[in-house]
C-alpha cells in the first residue's frame, strides 16, 4: 500500500517574539491520502496558515517530520524545497497574485518557465490549462480586463499547469461574492474528482463543506478531524 501523500509527525513550529518563543504549531500528527479533499479550519492565529506554509515548502518546521510523497522534506535546503514546490505543488491564494502586465497565458506559464519547459510547449500547456478552467477565449487578455472570479480561475490554471500531485488553496474565495465562490468551489471539486489532492484553508463553514474532510485547529493543535457533514449526507 502506498504511503500517504502527506504525513506530518510531531510537527512543531515556533517563532521568536519579544515575549519569548511562540508555538504556532504544537507538535501535530496528520496524514492526508492521495486524492483527498481536506479543509483546514480555525480562527486567526490557530496555526492553520502556518501549517499551510510548511506543507507548501514555503517554511520549515522547528521540530518533527514532514513527509511528502514518501520523502522527508522537513529539513531540505532552499534550492531543494524550491524544486519540490515547482514539481509537486500548485498554489492558489486569496489575492490571485497575477502579474498585471502579462497575458493570462504568460501568467499561467510561469511555473513552466521555472521548470525549464521550452516556450512553444509552455504556451500550449498554459492554454490547455486555461481551457480546462473555462477561459479558452481569454488567452491573450490581461488580468485587468477580466473579473475577480475569472482571475481566480487563471490562478487555478496556473496551479494545475505543471500537473502537481497537490493543490494548496489559502482562502481562495475570500475576495469573491457568494455566487462566484460557488463556481470556484465547484471547479475545485471537479479537479479533485479528476484525482488531484486538495488542501484548502478557510474559516467559512459553507466553503469547508465542499471538502470531504474537515480538520480544525485551535492554539496550534488539531482539535477535530471529521468527515464533512455535507459530504457524509451526499449533499455536495
Amino acid at each position: 500500500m502506498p504511503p500517504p501523500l502527506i504525513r506530518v509527525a510531531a510537527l512543531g513550529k515556533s517563532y521568536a517574539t519579544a515575549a519569548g518563543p511562540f508555538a504556532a504549531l504544537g507538535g501535530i500528527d496528520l496524514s492526508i491520502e492521495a486524492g483527498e479533499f481536506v479543509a483546514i479550519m480555525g480562527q486567526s492565529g490557530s496555526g492553520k496558515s502556518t501549517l499551510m506554509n510548511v506543507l507548501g515548502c514555503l517554511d520549515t518546521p522547528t521540530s518533527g517530520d514532514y513527509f511528502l510523497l514518501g520523502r522527508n522534506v522537513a529539513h531540505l535546503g532552499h534550492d531543494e524545497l524550491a524544486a519540490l514546490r515547482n514539481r509537486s505543488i500548485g498554489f492558489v491564494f486569496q489575492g490571485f497574485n497575477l502579474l498585471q502586465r502579462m497575458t493570462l497565458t504568460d501568467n499561467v506559464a510561469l511555473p513552466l518557465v521555472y521548470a525549464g519547459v521550452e516556450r512553444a510547449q509552455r504556451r500550449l500547456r498554459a492554454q490547455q490549462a486555461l481551457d480546462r478552467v473555462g477561459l479558452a477565449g481569454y488567452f491573450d487578455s490581461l488580468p485587468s480586463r477580466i473579473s475577480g472570479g475569472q482571475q481566480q480561475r487563471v490562478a487555478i490554471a496556473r496551479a494545475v499547469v505543471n500537473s502537481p500531485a497537490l493543490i494548496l488553496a489559502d482562502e481562495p474565495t475570500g475576495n469573491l461574492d457568494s455566487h462566484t465562490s460557488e463556481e470556484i468551489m465547484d471547479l475545485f471539486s471537479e479537479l479533485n474528482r479528476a484525482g488531484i489532492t486538495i488542501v484548502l484553508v478557510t474559516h467559512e463553514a459553507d466553503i469547508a463543506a465542499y471538502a470531504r474532510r474537515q480538520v480544525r485547529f485551535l492554539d496550534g493543535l488539531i482539535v477535530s478531524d471529521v468527515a464533512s457533514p455535507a459530504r457524509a449526507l451526499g449533499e455536495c
Side-chain angles (χ1 to χ4, degrees):
M1 188 172 181
L5 180 72
I6 289 170
R7 182 169 72 86
V8 300
L11 192 76
K13 180 64 181 182
S14 297
Y15 297 98
T17 72
F22 168 72
L25 293 175
I28 64 168
D29 298 307
L30 178 69
S31 291
I32 296 174
E33 301 291 338
E36 283 202 85
F37 189 167
V38 180
I40 306 293
M41 304 182 70
Q43 299 175 347
S44 178
S46 63
K48 62 185 189 300
S49 293
T50 300
L51 175 66
M52 184 69 82
N53 286 337
V54 172
L55 295 184
C57 300
L58 298 170
D59 202 354
T60 54
T62 307
S63 59
D65 295 300
Y66 169 30
F67 295 87
L68 177 62
L69 295 165
R71 181 184 182 189
N72 192 346
V73 301
H75 307 294
L76 292 182
H78 180 271
D79 291 344
E80 291 175 299
L81 289 173
L84 184 63
R85 281 196 304 272
N86 180 262
R87 186 172 60 250
S88 303
I89 306 171
F91 296 90
V92 181
F93 299 101
Q94 178 176 338
F96 316 142
N97 293 351
L98 303 180
L99 298 179
Q100 296 301 310
R101 295 185 179 182
M102 295 177 65
T103 67
L104 304 191
T105 296
D106 287 341
N107 265 281
V108 172
L110 276 174
L112 301 176
V113 174
Y114 301 132
V117 178
E118 59 92 15
R119 180 174 176 78
Q121 185 66 15
R122 291 200 307 263
R123 184 171 179 83
L124 174 62
R125 287 171 58 179
Q127 291 180 348
Q128 289 173 336
L130 285 166
D131 188 19
R132 186 176 186 181
V133 300
L135 292 175
Y138 296 85
F139 294 157
D140 296 317
S141 295
L142 294 174
S144 61
R145 303 285 182 146
I146 61 176
S147 69
Q150 289 171 320
Q151 289 187 57
Q152 193 60 295
R153 286 178 179 269
V154 176
I156 294 171
R158 183 181 57 198
V160 302
V161 73
N162 233 3
S163 301
L166 171 67
I167 289 180
L168 298 177
D170 193 354
E171 300 283 3
T173 61
N175 288 337
L176 305 175
D177 61 60
S178 59
H179 175 71
T180 307
S181 295
E182 290 178 6
E183 293 180 342
I184 293 300
M185 292 311 301
D186 286 340
L187 179 54
F188 277 121
S189 296
E190 179 182 328
L191 292 171
N192 178 244
R193 287 193 294 271
I196 299 177
T197 306
I198 297 176
V199 179
L200 166 80
V201 163
T202 183
H203 65 276
E204 301 177 77
D206 58 334
I207 297 301
Y210 281 83
R212 300 178 184 177
R213 177 181 170 195
Q214 297 179 11
V215 179
R216 189 175 295 274
F217 275 71
L218 179 66
D219 296 334
L221 298 171
I222 295 173
V223 293
S224 69
D225 184 348
V226 297
S228 168
R231 285 284 179 180
L233 294 171
E235 295 174 0
C236 287

